[in-house]
Amino acid sequence: MYPIKFKPILKERLWGGTKLKTLFNKPIETDITGESWEVSAVKGDISVVANGEFKDKSLQELIDLYPNELLGKHVYERFGTDFPILIKFIDAREDLSIQVHPNDDLAKKRHNSFGKTEMWYVMQADPGAKLIVGFNKDVTKEEYQKHLTEGTLTDIMNYEEVSEGDTFFINTGKVHAIGGGIIIAEIQQTSDITYRVYDFNRKDKNGNLRELHTELALEAIDYQKKDDFKVSYSKSENTTNKMVDCPYFITHYLSLSEDFEKKIGAEDSFHIYMCVKGSGIVSDGKTELSINQGETVLFPAVCDTLQVKTSGIELLEVSL
C-alpha cells in the first residue's frame, strides 16, 4: 500500500460559499458549496481513490481487502471495518445553525451510529468572525427551552472571535456553531448525526424552514458552562506538536520550513495529513505525492516513514 489521495466529496449547503474553489482549487460548480469531505466512510458518501494502482476503488473496498495494512491492527480490533474518522474542509459564508451532537451511547441507542466528537482548526477567518462554543453561563433545561421558545437563544451562547491557527475541541453535548467568514479544517468521529436547535429562521431554496431537532437535542445537551474547548498547543518548527489526544483521534501540528522525516510505522495506525498552509511533497520513501493547501493524504498503517520535501508547509497529522 502507498500514500493515498481521495476525490473530494463536495456538499452544497445553504450557508456555503466559493472559497473552497478560490483558495483550494476544489472543483465546485455552485456558489453555495459548504463542505469538502476529504476522507469519508459515511454510508452513501464513501471516498474514492484518486491516485495509483487503487485508483477508483473506494475506501471501504480497501479496508475490506486490507484491514490490518490500512487501519493498523489495534484500530481494526477496535472498530472492525468501520473507518472511525471523517475529515472535512468547511467554508462558512454565513453562520451555520446552532447545533449539538449526541455521545456514543445516545447515538448508538437512537441511530446505531458513533457519536460525534470533533475538533476545528481555523484556516482563515474574516475580521471579526466568531464561533459559538457552549453557553456563557450555567443554564437549566427549562431556561434553555424558554430562550428557545422566545427566540433569544443567542443571548446565552458563548461567542469566540477567531483568527488563523485557533483550534477548538468540541466534545459531544456542547452546543456550537461555525460563524460566517470562517474556513475550518474539521476532524471528527465518523458520524453525520447532528441535532439542529436554532437556524436563525432561515429558509431553504424552496422557501421552507429547515428541520429542527428540538426534542432530540434536550437529552444530548450539556447545560453547564465549561471553558474546556480552546486548544493551546506549541507551534515549534520542524517537529511534531501535540494538539488533541482523545479516545477518538490524536492530532499533531507540523510547521515545516525545511525537509522533514519521521518514523510512523511503530504507531500501528493510519496517518492522515491535512495541508492547512503552504505546499510540499510527501512520501513514504517510495511513492511521492504533491500536497497543497486544502489537500489531504492518507498514509496506510503499513507505511513506515513520513518524508516531506518543502520550503514551507503546515500540516495537521491525524491518527488513532
Side-chain angles (χ1 to χ4, degrees), residues 21 50 53 56-57 63 69 89 95-96 109 126 153 180 185 191 226-227 239 247 263 268 273 291 302 310:
K21 182 174 186 177
E53 65 174 290
D56 296 327
K57 284 194 180 300
I63 293 170
E69 295 89 340
F89 294 114
D95 296 346
L96 273 69
K109 183 171 76 175
D126 295 346
L153 186 62
S191 170
K226 291 179 180 171
D227 297 322
T239 188
K263 292 290 184 187
D268 188 31
Y273 295 93
I291 186 169
V302 291
T310 188

Side-chain angles (χ1 to χ4, degrees), residues 113-142:
S113 168
F114 292 127
K116 192 172 171 184
T117 298
E118 60 191 8
M119 69 167 277
W120 297 335
Y121 175 90
V122 177
M123 295 176 67
Q124 185 266 330
D126 295 346
K130 295 180 174 73
L131 301 171
I132 290 175
V133 193
F135 295 104
N136 59 25
K137 62 175 185 175
D138 289 350
V139 297
T140 64
K141 187 186 288 189
E142 291 71 30

